[in-house]
Amino acid sequence: MSLTGIIDLESFPITDPAFRAACKAEFDKTGVFVMPGFVLPSVIQSVQEEGEANRGDVYAKTEQHTVYLSKADPDYAEDHARNRLVTSSKGCLTDDQIPQASALRALYDDPEFRSFLCHVLGEEQLHEYADPLSSINLHFHEKGQELGWHFDNSSFSITLMVQAPEAGGQFEYVTGVRDADHGEMGFDDVTAILDGKTPVQTMEAEAGTLVFFRGRNSIHRVAPNAGDRTRMLAVLAYNAETGVSLSEAARMTFYGRLS
Ligand SMILES: O=C(O)CCC(=O)C(=O)O
Ligand SMILES: [Fe+2]
């Protein structure tokens, strides 16, 4: 499947140097860049159908975790921002469960798309994960399911909204809350956000929207899905190096298995 049949190249001329530069400039400003209607409606529909067809294989789990995604630290009180627990409940199909002929895979592998990503992200190269599970994931949020406030470990993420929820399920975020590489944890801001005292930014992406997000220092969550339609979101995960697997601990947490 060629890129022409997958994305709206007229609105998003991803090989055009001027267009690439404009996308990068926008992304660099805030660490958030949204492209509504990036993937064609017919393609999105086929991915929705794949998701529906494979729904029986979804691995779903509810867990409690800190916003830092690391174990509680006994040097801090239980109700301190460092240790407060939030709830995440979602399901996931892993790369090995995405059909070989899926448009998601064609997009993920496409050299021009990857080159565009490199440009916007400021990476020299991007590679798939070495393990069979982690490269393409399809997330499912049923009614009531949510993703609790957290910071990502990775410095960027690329997501594609496959099926938008009818109500709730919006992506919420606050940028620049911590500075992970300088050990600034952002405890005061995190406390205010968890207590609902800080205004947050909200994104309600339609199906077909591609999102670039830097989630390492920007706290974010997916609010509980409040409607009957399942929220489906594809995560396209890449590495700057070859041969990198997601850690075994992370694979067990997210997928419940290693391969
Ligand atoms: O579902 C989303 O929109 C974001 C997912 C996310 O934050 C994550 O997987 O770390
Ligand atoms: Fe995240």
Side-chain angles (χ1 to χ4, degrees):
M1 198 183 286
S2 82
L3 214 47
T4 332
I6 301 175
I7 72 176
D8 177 358
L9 281 171
E10 239 168 79
S11 306
F12 306 100
I14 63 168
T15 55
D16 173 6
F19 179 76
R20 288 182 169 197
C23 294
K24 178 166 173 52
E26 187 65 33
F27 182 53
D28 285 347
K29 253 193 269 173
T30 56
V32 188
F33 183 54
V34 184
M35 304 170 89
F38 185 77
V39 170
L40 298 168
S42 57
V43 174
I44 283 295
Q45 196 186 328
S46 69
V47 178
Q48 286 171 2
E49 286 164 7
E50 288 165 14
E52 280 300 332
N54 294 315
R55 184 187 274 282
D57 296 330
V58 168
Y59 174 79
K61 209 172 101 197
T62 300
E63 54 176 347
Q64 298 225 299
H65 56 85
T66 68
V67 306
Y68 300 98
L69 302 182
S70 49
K71 281 203 210 97
D73 181 340
D75 287 347
Y76 295 93
E78 244 174 67
D79 61 354
H80 186 276
R82 172 64 186 77
N83 289 335
R84 278 172 68 171
L85 294 175
V86 297
T87 299
S88 286
S89 47
K90 68 158 202 300
C92 178
L93 286 176
T94 49
D95 192 279
D96 58 331
Q97 296 170 318
I98 306 291
Q100 281 306 315
S102 174
L104 278 182
R105 199 173 292 289
L107 179 64
Y108 181 90
D109 287 336
D110 187 274
E112 282 179 349
F113 177 64
R114 218 175 271 198
S115 155
F116 170 66
L117 298 182
C118 283
H119 200 94
V120 175
L121 295 165
E123 299 285 344
E124 288 203 349
Q125 295 191 320
L126 289 173
H127 304 278
E128 58 274 24
Y129 273 88
D131 70 79
L133 305 182
S134 307
S135 296
I136 305 175
N137 284 179
L138 190 58
H139 290 184
F140 291 69
H141 281 97
E142 307 296 347
K143 191 176 200 171
Q145 294 186 328
E146 65 188 303
L147 197 63
W149 287 109
H150 67 281
F151 298 100
D152 294 341
N153 288 315
S154 57
S155 68
F156 63 84
S157 71
I158 310 294
T159 62
L160 173 67
M161 183 60 79
V162 170
Q163 183 165 273
E166 289 163 319
Q170 72 277 16
F171 184 77
E172 297 183 338
Y173 62 98
V174 182
T175 59
V177 172
R178 75 163 176 178
D179 184 349
D181 296 321
H182 295 94
E184 166 53 66
M185 303 283 271
F187 290 141
D188 292 343
D189 285 351
V190 167
T191 303
I193 291 159
L194 293 180
D195 289 343
K197 290 182 178 148
T198 298
V200 302
Q201 284 180 283
T202 297
M203 184 197 304
E204 289 181 85
E206 295 293 323
T209 304
L210 190 81
V211 176
F212 291 76
F213 187 70
R214 289 208 186 278
R216 193 162 152 76
N217 295 317
S218 295
I219 197 168
H220 54 284
R221 74 160 185 158
V222 178
N225 184 349
D228 288 325
R229 192 200 287 150
T230 305
R231 179 186 194 262
M232 284 188 221
L233 174 117
V235 178
L236 307 178
Y238 297 91
N239 265 292
E241 318 285 332
T242 49
V244 177
S245 295
L246 191 68
S247 75
E248 296 201 347
R251 267 180 279 161
M252 286 312 290
T253 304
F254 300 141
Y255 313 136
R257 62 199 162 92
L258 294 177
S259 63

